Amino acid sequence: MATENMGLRESKKQETRQLISDQATRLFIEQGFEQTTIAEIAAAARVAKKTVTNYFARKEDLALDHHEAFTASLARAVADRADGESPLAALRREFTTALDRCDPVAGFTGPEFARMVADSPTLTARLRELHDQREEVLAETLAATAPSTLPSTLPAPAPAPTGSGAGDDVPDFASRAVAALLGAGHRLLFRRIQELTLAGRSNDEIATILRPEADGVFGLLADSLGEGGASGEAP
């Protein structure tokens, strides 16, 4: 019985969170992000202001409510890759799948939402932060799970001065360099999807346009990482 009650409470929390997010997004699109207050969101969702802030610590999170999935997406693809699959090949496969399903995390947000973000300096800045965070998490995962796949042309990490604390919990330079390349490629593709969305293209049209463009991006990344060819497959 206790387990059932916990399940009901958790389900109710998820429903409340989704209701708040949905009402916030509706108001942001109608009024603009900066112009909408937490009080208005609480009133629309019929909850207290404190309830809104309990579920969403930052106002930006009400709009970009997939931020946790977004920042973890590249690292997750690398960590879950198949045996013998390179990080780049795994990321390429995941991006192709995201195109096929028009995944919002990849940038398929719809024209109204894309315009809301583009028109808000706060959300635009927050999105840049999320891209940076996604790259940082990817670097940590590369260092932990894929050190043998990093290019041998990059130097081994230099030891930090004894007792300095420098470098604690910071991925080595090779991991950060590879994450920067992979993160930049995905940032460009995300931006391209948003650009085409704002230009009025449908999701199906965007996916069709992006496939060859993504092939080109991943081909450049493969050459940069020494994986050879445009396929992005490990040699």
Side-chain angles (χ1 to χ4, degrees):
M1 188 67 173
T3 301
E4 183 179 346
N5 287 338
M6 287 178 63
L8 289 173
R9 283 198 296 271
E10 186 60 31
S11 177
K12 179 62 176 176
K13 286 181 180 179
Q14 291 299 322
E15 289 176 3
T16 301
R17 187 184 190 283
Q18 190 62 53
L19 173 63
I20 294 170
S21 176
D22 290 345
Q23 291 300 323
T25 300
R26 178 182 64 81
L27 289 171
F28 292 153
I29 289 173
E30 290 177 357
Q31 303 177 175
F33 178 81
E34 269 76 18
Q35 291 73 29
T36 301
T37 67
I38 297 296
E40 289 174 319
I41 294 167
R46 297 184 179 181
V47 298
K49 282 179 61 177
K50 186 175 181 180
T51 301
V52 175
T53 55
N54 282 342
Y55 280 97
F56 299 92
R58 300 175 58 159
K59 184 181 173 184
E60 298 96 302
D61 293 343
L62 282 157
L64 304 174
D65 60 340
H66 293 295
H67 66 279
E68 292 178 347
F70 180 84
T71 55
S73 59
L74 302 187
R76 188 195 67 248
V78 169
D80 295 344
R81 71 191 187 282
D83 291 342
E85 186 177 34
S86 73
L88 176 59
L91 289 169
R92 181 174 190 157
R93 175 173 49 77
E94 284 293 312
F95 186 79
T96 299
T97 300
L99 282 183
D100 290 341
R101 64 173 180 247
C102 297
D103 192 341
V105 174
F108 288 92
T109 59
E112 291 182 331
F113 192 95
R115 175 53 59 193
M116 174 193 75
V117 174
D119 288 345
S120 167
T122 303
L123 290 180
T124 300
R126 177 58 175 156
L127 189 56
R128 284 197 297 268
E129 289 178 359
L130 293 175
H131 278 289
D132 290 343
Q133 289 174 18
R134 183 167 70 161
E135 181 183 312
E136 292 166 7
V137 176
L138 176 59
E140 293 169 2
T141 301
L142 287 169
T145 69
S148 64
T149 68
L150 301 176
S152 59
T153 53
L154 289 168
T162 303
S164 69
D168 291 350
D169 300 322
V170 176
D172 61 76
F173 182 76
S175 299
R176 291 158 61 193
V178 172
L181 286 171
L182 297 174
H186 280 80
R187 192 185 300 233
L188 174 64
L189 293 170
F190 183 97
R191 188 179 301 161
R192 180 64 168 146
I193 292 171
Q194 294 280 286
E195 176 183 274
L196 291 170
T197 298
L198 291 172
R201 300 283 191 151
S202 69
N203 282 350
D204 287 343
E205 288 175 322
I206 294 170
T208 298
I209 293 168
L210 257 290
R211 285 188 182 93
E213 294 182 349
D215 283 344
V217 170
F218 283 105
L220 288 172
L221 291 172
D223 290 341
S224 298
L225 296 174
E227 296 196 9
S231 67
E233 297 296 330

